[in-house]
C-alpha cells in the first residue's frame, strides 16, 4: 500500500479501538475516497456528526478522512488492516522530527551514518543522502531496513554529499521536556560517554533490534533467562529498590535480608552523594559490587545519570549493569506470563474483536477492561519503542487499576502509574519489590493494588484505598 493509505489505516484503527462498541465492518476505498463501514451507525445514540468528530480526534493532520457509512456499496474495495508484525514495525505511524531522526539512526546500519533524510506523504518519496556513494547492495539493504520499520510503500531516492558532517555525538537535556525520555540512538552519544559504557549501551541497543518481535508477541517461548545476562540470574534471594526519584537509605538493612540488592540508579547523582544516601563508603561500595552483592539497572535515557557513578560501577564489574532494553524485555515477558493478555501485541482485527465482545457482554467490568486495553493498544508499542523501560507500565496493569478506581470516582493516575513502574521492573528481575515508604508519602498501598491485579484479590479486604497505609 502507498504511504497515504497506510496512514489512513492507522488512523482508522485508532478510531476503531476507541469505538469498539459499534459493529465496524472495515475500511474501504473507491480509488479516490476512503470509507469506514459501521453497520449500526444509524442506530447509535451518537449522531453521525459526533462519530465524525471522534474520528477526526484520532486522525493525523493532513491525512485524508474516512467517510462513515452504514451500508456497503459493492463497488468499494476493502483495505486490509495491520497484522501483528506490521503494528510492531510501526507501519503507518506518524512521527515528530526528533522521534523519527532517533528511530532511523537506531535501525539504519551505522556504516551508512551520518546521513540526511526527507520523506513526504504527498510525493510518496523517501530520500536518503549519505556521505559516500552507495552500491546496489547497499541500497537494497537500506530499502529492506526501511520497509521493516514501517517506511514501506515509498519510492526510495538515494544520493550522496561528501560535506555531510559527523553527528555532534552529544545530547543535552533541557529541564521539563517530554523528549528527555527518548532513548538516544548510540550514534548521537558516542562522544559523550566512555568506550566501555558505550559498548554496553550499544549491546543493549543491538539486543532490542534482534528481539523486539519476540518481546511484543511473546510467541517464541522466550523467558526472563533469555533476556537477562547470567549475572542477573540465579537462585540467590534478591530485592529491587528504585532510587530513581525517591531517596533510599541504609543499604545495610537490605543486605542483611537479601543476598543480592538490585538498584535503579538515581538521576544526576554523583558518587559521593550516592554513597552518603546509602550510608556506605566508596571502598565498601566497590567491594560489594565485586562480591556480586549489588546489581544495577539504567531504565531511562543514559544522559540522565551521572557518568562518574556509572564508570565506578562499570569499571568495577561491567556485568553488574543492564540498560533499558533488556529491562523492558524481561518486564514485559513477566507481565505477559502473569496476565496472558497484558503486554502483548495482537493484530488490529484481533484487538477489535476482543474489545467488541467485551462491550457486547454488557458487563461493566469487562467494559472497563476494554477501555483500558484500547488505550494500551493504541500507543503502547510506540511508547516502548521510543522510551524503553520507563513506558512499560503503559502496557501493564496500571491503566486497568486507574480505570477501576475512576469507576469508584477516585483518580490516582499518578500514584498507581508511578508504583507500577518499579513493581513491574521487579517482576522482570525476579526480585522482591521494596516500595518507597516514608511518613510523608508511601507507595505501599498503590503497589498492593497493582500486585493484586496480577495475583488476584481477597474479597474480604478493601484494596482500593490508595491513601491507606
Amino acid at each position: 500500500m502507498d504511504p497515504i493509505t497506510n496512514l489512513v489505516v492507522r488512523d482508522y484503527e485508532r478510531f476503531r479501538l476507541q469505538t469498539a462498541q459499534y459493529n465496524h465492518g472495515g475500511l474501504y476505498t473507491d480509488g479516490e475516497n476512503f470509507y469506514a463501514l459501521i453497520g449500526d451507525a444509524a442506530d447509535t445514540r451518537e449522531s453521525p456528526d459526533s462519530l465524525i468528530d471522534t474520528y477526526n480526534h484520532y486522525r493525523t493532520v493532513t491525512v485524508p478522512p474516512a467517510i462513515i457509512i452504514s451500508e456497503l456499496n459493492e463497488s468499494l474495495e476493502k483495505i486490509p488492516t495491520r497484522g501483528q508484525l506490521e503494528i510492531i514495525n510501526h507501519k503507518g505511524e506518524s512521527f515528530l522530527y526528533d522521534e523519527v531522526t532517533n528511530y532511523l539512526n537506531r535501525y539504519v546500519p551505522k556504516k551508512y551514518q551520518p546521513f540526511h533524510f526527507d520523506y513526504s506523504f504527498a510525493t510518496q518519496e523517501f530520500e536518503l543522502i549519505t556521505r559516500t556513494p552507495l552500491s546496489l547492495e547497499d541500497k537494497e539493504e537500506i530499502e529492506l531496513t526501511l520497509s521493516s520499520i514501517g517506511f514501506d510503500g515509498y519510492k526510495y531516492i538515494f544520493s550522496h554529499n561528501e560535506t555531510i558532517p559527523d553527528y555532534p555525538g552529544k545530547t543535552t537535556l533541557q529541564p521539563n521536556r517530554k523528549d528527555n525520555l527518548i532513548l538516544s540512538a548510540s550514534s548521537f552519544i558516542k562522544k559523550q560517554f566512555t568506550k566501555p559504557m558505550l559498548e554496553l549501551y550499544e549491546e543493549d541497543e543491538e539486543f532490542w533490534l534482534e528481539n523486539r518481535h519476540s518481546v511484543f508477541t511473546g510467541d517464541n517461548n522466550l523467558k526472563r533467562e533469555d533476556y537477562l545476562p547470567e549475572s542477573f540470574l540465579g537462585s540467590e534471594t534478591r530485592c529491587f529498590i528504585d532510587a530513581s526519584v525517591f531517596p533510599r537509605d541504609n543499604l545495610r538493612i537490605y543486605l542483611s535480608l537479601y543476598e543480592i540488592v538490585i538498584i535503579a540508579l538515581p538521576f544526576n547523582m554523583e558518587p559521593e552523594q550516592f554513597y552518603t544516601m546509602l550510608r556506605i563508603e566508596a571502598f565498601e561500595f566497590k567491594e560489594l559490587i565485586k562480591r556480586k552483592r549489588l546489581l544495577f539497572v539504567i531504565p531511562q535515557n543514559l544522559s540522565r545519570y551521572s557518568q562518574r557513578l556509572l564508570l565506578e560501577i562499570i569499571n568495577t564489574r561491567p556485568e553488574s549493569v543492564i540498560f533499558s532494553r533488556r529491562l523492558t524485555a524481561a518486564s514485559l515477558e513477566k507481565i505477559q506470563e502473569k496476565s496472558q493478555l497484558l503486554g502483548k501485541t495482537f493484530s488490529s482485527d484481533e484487538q477489535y474483536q476482543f474489545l467488541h465482545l467485551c462491550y457486547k457482554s454488557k458487563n461493566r467490568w469487562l467494559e472497563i477492561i476494554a477501555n483500558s486495553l484500547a488505550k494500551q493498544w493504541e500507543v503502547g508499542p510506540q511508547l516502548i519503542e521510543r522510551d524503553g523501560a520507563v513506558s512499560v507500565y503503559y502496557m501493564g496493569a496500571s491503566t486497568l487499576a486507574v480505570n477501576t478506581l475512576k469507576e469508584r470516582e477516585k483518580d490516582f493516575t499518578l500514584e498507581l502509574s508511578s508504583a507500577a513502574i518499579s513493581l513491574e521492573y521487579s517482576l522482570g528481575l525476579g526480585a522482591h519489590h521494596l516500595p518507597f515508604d516514608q511518613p510523608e508519602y508511601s507507595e505501599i498501598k498503590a503497589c498492593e493494588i497493582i500486585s493484586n491485579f496480577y495475583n488476584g484479590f481477597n474479597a474480604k479486604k478493601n484494596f482500593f484505598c490508595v491513601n491507606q497505609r
Side-chain angles (χ1 to χ4, degrees), residues 5 18 27 37 42 48 69 93 98 109 118 145-146 173 175 203 223 229 248 256 307 336 353-354 374 433 465:
T5 303
Q18 302 303 327
L27 184 67
L37 174 63
I69 58 175
E93 294 293 347
D98 288 346
D118 189 22
T145 299
L146 293 175
L173 302 184
E203 188 279 330
K223 299 296 183 183
R248 310 303 289 260
S256 68
Q307 187 167 173
Q336 293 166 1
Q353 290 161 8
F354 182 85
H433 178 234
C465 183

Side-chain angles (χ1 to χ4, degrees), residues 326-354:
R326 286 189 179 275
L327 180 60
T328 297
S331 300
L332 282 177
E333 186 277 327
K334 189 55 67 173
I335 289 172
Q336 293 166 1
E337 178 189 304
K338 281 187 164 291
S339 69
Q340 299 299 309
L341 181 63
L342 301 174
K344 285 188 177 183
T345 299
F346 303 90
S347 72
S348 177
D349 286 342
E350 288 172 331
Q351 291 173 349
Y352 164 70
Q353 290 161 8
F354 182 85

Side-chain angles (χ1 to χ4, degrees), residues 61 249 256:
V61 177
D249 57 7
S256 68

Side-chain angles (χ1 to χ4, degrees), residues 40 56 61 89 159-160 162 172 219 223 243 255 258 277 300 303 327 339 351 378 389 421 427 434 441 448 458 463-464:
D40 52 355
N56 286 332
V61 177
N89 291 337
S159 60
H160 72 278
E162 296 178 356
T172 302
D219 287 344
K223 299 296 183 183
L255 291 169
Y258 299 91
M277 181 183 74
Q300 296 197 29
S303 300
L327 180 60
S339 69
Q351 291 173 349
E378 182 193 340
I421 290 174
L427 291 179
L434 299 180
Y441 181 72
E448 285 183 358
N458 184 333
F463 281 105
F464 293 99

Side-chain angles (χ1 to χ4, degrees), residues 13 31 35 46 66 80 107 131 136 211 261 287-288 424 430 458 461:
E13 289 174 352
Y35 302 88
E46 296 188 62
Y107 286 93
R131 191 152 60 185
L136 179 60
N211 292 280
V261 177
E287 189 63 27
L288 287 167
E424 287 162 351
N458 184 333
K461 293 185 178 180

Side-chain angles (χ1 to χ4, degrees), residues 31 111 162 236 371 400 415:
K111 61 184 177 181
E162 296 178 356
E236 300 91 347
N371 289 336
L400 184 55
E415 292 85 350

Side-chain angles (χ1 to χ4, degrees), residues 102 106 171 173 182-189 201 205 301 303:
N102 197 62
R106 282 208 306 271
T171 60
L173 302 184
I182 296 177
L183 292 182
S184 299
S186 57
S187 304
F188 293 156
I189 58 173
Y201 188 81
E205 191 174 61
N301 188 319
S303 300

